[in-house]
Amino acid sequence: MATSLPRLPHAHHPQPRGGRRRHQVVPDLATDIGRPNKDATEWTYTLKDGLKFEDGTPITSADVKYGIERSFAAELSGGAPYLRDWLIGGDTYQGPYKDPKGLASIVTPDPKTLVFKLKKPEGEFPSSPPRHSSPPSPRAKDKGAKYEEHPVSSGPYKVVSNENDGERLVLERNEHWDPETDEERKAYPDKIDVRSGLDEAVINQRLATSSGADAAAITTDTNLGPAELAQIGSDKALAARVGTGHFGFTNYIAFNPKVKPFDNPKVRQAISYAVNRTSVVNAAGGSALAEPATTFLPEQKAFGFTPYDHFPAGKTGNPEKARQLLKEAGFPNGLTVTLLHSTAQNRTTSPEIATAVQEALGKAGITVKLDGQEPNSFNEKRWSVKDAPASSSPAGAPTGRPAARSSRRSSTDARSSPTAPTTTTRSSTTRRSTRRSTRSTS
C-alpha cells in the first residue's frame, strides 16, 4: 500500500497471481526489499538514485534513519512496535528528542545505505517495518509534534494548506517527485482537497447527490448504514456505485489480564458466554452489515478460516453459564466493570454497540458502566492499560501492544491483551459499502 506524501524503504503492493490478486512486498525508496546476512540478524538496504524531498534536497539514508527514530518518541503517537521489539537497543530508546545520538542499531555507512541490526533472526523483516509512521524526515525541518501539520513530502503530492489540524488538507503535485523512482504511486489530479471529521451520513448523502465538486469525490473511511442500504435498494444507478463484500476485520472484546477482575480467566470466560451476538449485530445495523463471529479470522478461505467456538453460547448468549463461571471466579453476586467506548456514530465502537454489550452482560449479573469519549480522547485512552481496563475498539491484525481491541462491526472489548478475547461479530461485514466522498479531488 502506498501513500501520496511519504515513502518508505519498501511497500506492499497487490500483484496478480493465478487470476487473483495478492499482496507482495516490493521496493519503494530502496532498490530491493532488503538483503539479510547469513542468520537474518542484519538487513541492508540501498536507496535508489534521484530521490528528493519536496524542496528538491536529496533523500539520504540519514533522513530515513531519523524518520524511523522519530517513531520511538513518546511525544509522537502511532506506529507498530516491531522495530522497538526487534532492533538492538530499541526497547530502551526514547527517540531523537531525548537521545539525539540516535539508535546505534541503525547504521548509515554512506548516504545511500542503511543497515538494521536485530536482536535475533527475523526472516519476515521486509514485510513489517518501517511503516507509515516512520517516513524519511529531514532533521533540520522537524518540529516535533507540529511536524505533522506540514510533513516534508517524498511522494507525488505535498501539503499546501492544513486547516484545523487536518480538518481540511489541500495537496498539490510535488514537482520534485520523479515517477521513474516510484512504481507504486501515481499523480493523476493536480490538486486533492481532503476533508475529515464529517459525519458518515453527511458524506454518504453528498456522494449520493454527487453535485458540484462532489461529482469528483471519493471516500476511504465510511460505510453505508441501514438508511443508505434502503436507499440503494430502490435506486439502481446509485447501487451501481456501491461496493459490497466482506472485509478482513473481526470485532472482539479483549481483556487485559493484568487488570482486575480480568486477571481471572473465569471472569473472561463468563463475559464470553454472556455476550449476545444477535443484539450486537442489530446494533451494528443488522445482518446486511454484520454477522456473528466466534473466531478471530474472518470467514473467508483466503484468511485460512476454520470454524470453531471456544465458548458455545449460541446466537443470544448464555447468561446462566456466565453466572456459573462468575460464581466459580468468586463473584457469586456479580461484579461491576467500566467499558470505554467512542461517541462517534460509527456502528463499531459507538454507544449503540456499547449499550448492546451492557444489556447482555447485565443479564449475567455483570454491571457495565459506560464511559463514552469523543474520538480523539477515546483513541488516547483506549491504548492506556492504566486508564482503561475495558474498552471497545476497531480490530484488525494484532498489534502486539498491551491495549484493548474490540470491534469493528460490533462489539466491544475489555482492554487489551490477546489473552482470551471474546469474538462478537465479524467485522468484515457483508454489505459494507462504498463510499465516494470525504476526499474530494479536483
Side-chain angles (χ1 to χ4, degrees):
M1 295 177 287
T3 54
S4 60
L5 295 176
R7 295 179 63 186
L8 304 165
H10 51 260
H12 287 77
H13 182 69
Q15 297 286 341
R17 182 181 185 183
R20 297 184 178 183
R21 298 184 74 81
R22 65 187 178 90
H23 277 84
Q24 176 180 346
V25 180
V26 294
D28 190 357
L29 288 172
T31 57
D32 55 33
I33 62 172
R35 303 178 299 280
N37 63 354
K38 191 172 182 179
D39 63 358
T41 56
E42 289 188 7
W43 285 82
T44 300
Y45 291 86
T46 302
L47 300 183
K48 295 175 181 176
D49 294 327
L51 300 174
K52 295 181 180 180
F53 284 114
E54 64 178 64
D55 60 1
T57 59
I59 297 174
T60 69
S61 57
D63 299 318
V64 177
K65 175 181 178 177
Y66 185 72
I68 294 171
E69 290 172 341
R70 290 182 79 251
S71 70
F72 284 73
E75 296 88 339
L76 309 177
S77 61
Y82 303 111
L83 287 175
R84 186 178 298 279
D85 295 339
W86 291 354
L87 287 170
I88 296 172
D91 54 342
T92 58
Y93 182 61
Q94 298 183 42
Y97 309 131
K98 292 184 178 178
D99 186 357
K101 292 181 180 179
L103 262 172
S105 52
I106 303 179
V107 182
T108 55
D110 59 61
K112 293 186 62 178
T113 305
L114 289 106
V115 181
F116 295 87
K117 298 188 176 186
L118 314 182
K119 298 176 184 176
K120 58 187 179 65
E122 293 292 350
E124 295 184 357
F125 186 79
S127 63
S128 295
R131 290 300 199 182
H132 294 86
S133 59
S134 52
S137 305
R139 183 189 291 264
K141 296 193 175 182
D142 184 12
K143 298 180 180 179
K146 290 187 175 182
Y147 181 72
E148 66 176 11
E149 296 175 5
H150 192 140
V152 182
S153 175
S154 52
Y157 291 91
K158 62 182 179 182
V159 176
V160 293
S161 68
N162 183 344
E163 299 177 12
N164 298 328
D165 194 22
E167 189 173 295
R168 181 177 184 182
L169 201 63
V170 177
L171 310 177
E172 291 182 356
R173 289 198 186 198
N174 173 11
E175 62 270 25
H176 291 289
W177 170 75
D178 182 358
E180 294 296 319
T181 69
D182 192 352
E183 297 179 3
E184 303 310 310
R185 298 168 186 79
K186 306 298 178 185
Y188 293 127
D190 294 326
K191 179 186 293 186
I192 302 176
D193 188 346
V194 184
R195 309 293 180 93
S196 63
L198 299 178
D199 183 84
E200 281 193 357
V202 172
I203 294 172
N204 288 328
Q205 182 57 44
R206 287 176 57 176
L207 290 177
T209 303
S210 193
S211 61
D214 291 338
I218 60 169
T219 181
T220 60
D221 198 25
T222 346
N223 293 287
L224 299 186
E228 289 88 4
L229 288 177
Q231 183 182 1
I232 66 173
S234 58
D235 188 333
K236 290 184 178 180
L238 183 59
R241 293 164 48 199
V242 175
T244 63
H246 280 71
F247 285 67
F249 290 92
T250 298
N251 305 325
Y252 59 92
I253 298 177
F255 310 97
N256 182 352
K258 295 183 179 180
V259 175
K260 293 183 180 298
F262 307 120
D263 59 337
N264 190 319
K266 295 287 186 180
V267 171
R268 303 196 296 263
Q269 292 169 18
I271 294 176
S272 299
Y273 277 100
V275 172
N276 183 330
R277 289 176 173 79
T278 298
S279 67
V280 176
V281 167
N282 290 337
S287 59
L289 291 171
E291 58 191 25
T294 58
T295 70
F296 276 116
L297 296 177
E299 195 171 341
Q300 298 176 60
K301 252 184 189 177
F303 288 105
F305 172 78
T306 300
Y308 65 87
D309 189 351
H310 281 307
F311 311 103
K315 294 181 179 180
T316 58
N318 188 337
E320 290 77 19
K321 176 69 172 178
R323 285 181 181 276
Q324 176 190 331
L325 287 164
L326 286 178
K327 185 176 181 180
E328 294 174 11
F331 298 97
N333 300 317
L335 76 162
T336 298
V337 298
T338 298
L339 177 65
L340 177 70
H341 67 87
S342 173
T343 56
Q345 298 297 318
N346 55 18
R347 297 181 299 278
T348 60
T349 60
S350 56
E352 298 86 351
I353 303 299
T355 299
V357 173
Q358 180 189 46
E359 292 176 352
L361 269 58
K363 294 178 181 179
I366 303 172
T367 300
V368 178
K369 294 181 178 180
L370 300 182
D371 180 9
Q373 300 283 331
E374 60 86 22
N376 288 337
S377 175
F378 167 71
N379 284 329
E380 289 178 8
K381 203 169 179 182
R382 72 188 175 101
W383 293 114
S384 170
V385 177
K386 178 182 177 182
D387 294 335
S391 79
S392 66
S393 70
T399 64
R401 303 181 84 174
R405 291 233 113 151
S406 164
S407 345
R408 180 132 213 194
R409 198 67 326 221
S410 119
S411 154
T412 201
D413 70 322
R415 208 76 193 106
S416 173
S417 167
T419 305
T422 293
T423 331
T424 16
T425 52
R426 188 124 285 134
S427 59
S428 16
T429 90
T430 318
R431 246 178 118 75
R432 234 183 155 184
S433 81
T434 176
R435 336 168 178 194
R436 252 186 171 135
S437 168
T438 261
R439 194 164 279 195
S440 130
T441 67
S442 56

